[in-house]
Amino acid sequence: SDVLARKSNAIIMVGQKDILQSAIDSMHAAAIGSVVVVNEMSGKPVGIVSQTEILGAIHDLGSAALSQCVNFIMRRTSLHCAVTDDVKATVARMVQNRVRHMVVLNASEQMVGLISMGDLVAARLNSYQLETDVLRDMARASSFVSATH
């Protein structure tokens, strides 16, 4: 949840029947690397289109890929994490499954965000920095107490 708090609340989504060009336009406008593909009827996530899928589609189909439905290009995934999941465990799952983006669900299994590997690495670095700062402050306090006695 700390990771999501640092991000915008907006989840950029496209429908399964939207064309790839629409997904690219949405990604470019929001300056992001992926969009969540949702079922138009239920609103539930059914996949992700990222730069990797776009490059693969253009490689395979050329410019014709831009007019294809994202349903045929997206990475179908049931891989997701919960708001309460540990950052370290989530990173491990992403590495194991070779994905760079993961949908975040709340306790009601509603989509509340999309996180990237970069988001999680930044969270880990912030955590390490906080630990370093606390240890440094403790060492300084200990030195100060020793020096005054």
Side-chain angles (χ1 to χ4, degrees):
S1 63
D2 290 343
V3 175
L4 287 178
R6 291 188 195 104
K7 295 180 59 116
S8 163
N9 289 338
I11 304 169
I12 308 300
M13 299 176 279
V14 295
Q16 286 176 282
K17 296 177 185 169
D18 288 345
I19 62 170
L20 183 59
Q21 183 65 58
S22 175
I24 292 170
D25 292 344
S26 296
M27 291 167 64
H28 181 71
I32 55 174
S34 66
V35 292
V36 177
V37 181
V38 296
N39 178 292
E40 286 95 347
M41 300 294 283
S42 68
K44 300 252 186 222
V46 294
I48 294 176
V49 172
S50 71
Q51 296 161 344
T52 303
E53 287 76 33
I54 293 168
L55 286 173
I58 291 172
H59 175 268
D60 294 345
L61 303 171
S63 62
L66 300 175
S67 60
Q68 295 292 312
C69 287
V70 294
N71 191 52
F72 300 112
I73 295 163
M74 70 182 184
R75 176 175 38 91
R76 296 177 199 284
T77 180
S78 59
L79 194 62
H80 61 271
C81 63
V83 172
T84 56
D85 285 355
D86 177 66
V87 170
K88 185 176 178 182
T90 303
V91 168
R93 285 183 57 217
M94 289 175 82
V95 169
Q96 180 182 8
N97 289 280
R98 299 181 53 95
V99 298
R100 293 183 6 220
H101 298 89
M102 190 179 288
V103 171
V104 182
L105 304 178
N106 65 14
S108 304
E109 301 224 344
Q110 295 174 311
M111 182 172 49
V112 294
L114 179 70
I115 56 170
S116 69
M117 183 64 79
D119 298 329
L120 297 175
V121 168
R124 294 280 299 192
L125 289 174
N126 287 339
S127 173
Y128 291 144
Q129 185 62 50
L130 178 62
E131 288 177 25
T132 301
D133 292 346
V134 167
L135 290 172
R136 185 179 304 117
D137 290 347
M138 289 173 59
R140 286 180 184 153
S142 176
S143 297
F144 178 74
V145 169
S146 296
T148 59
H149 288 319

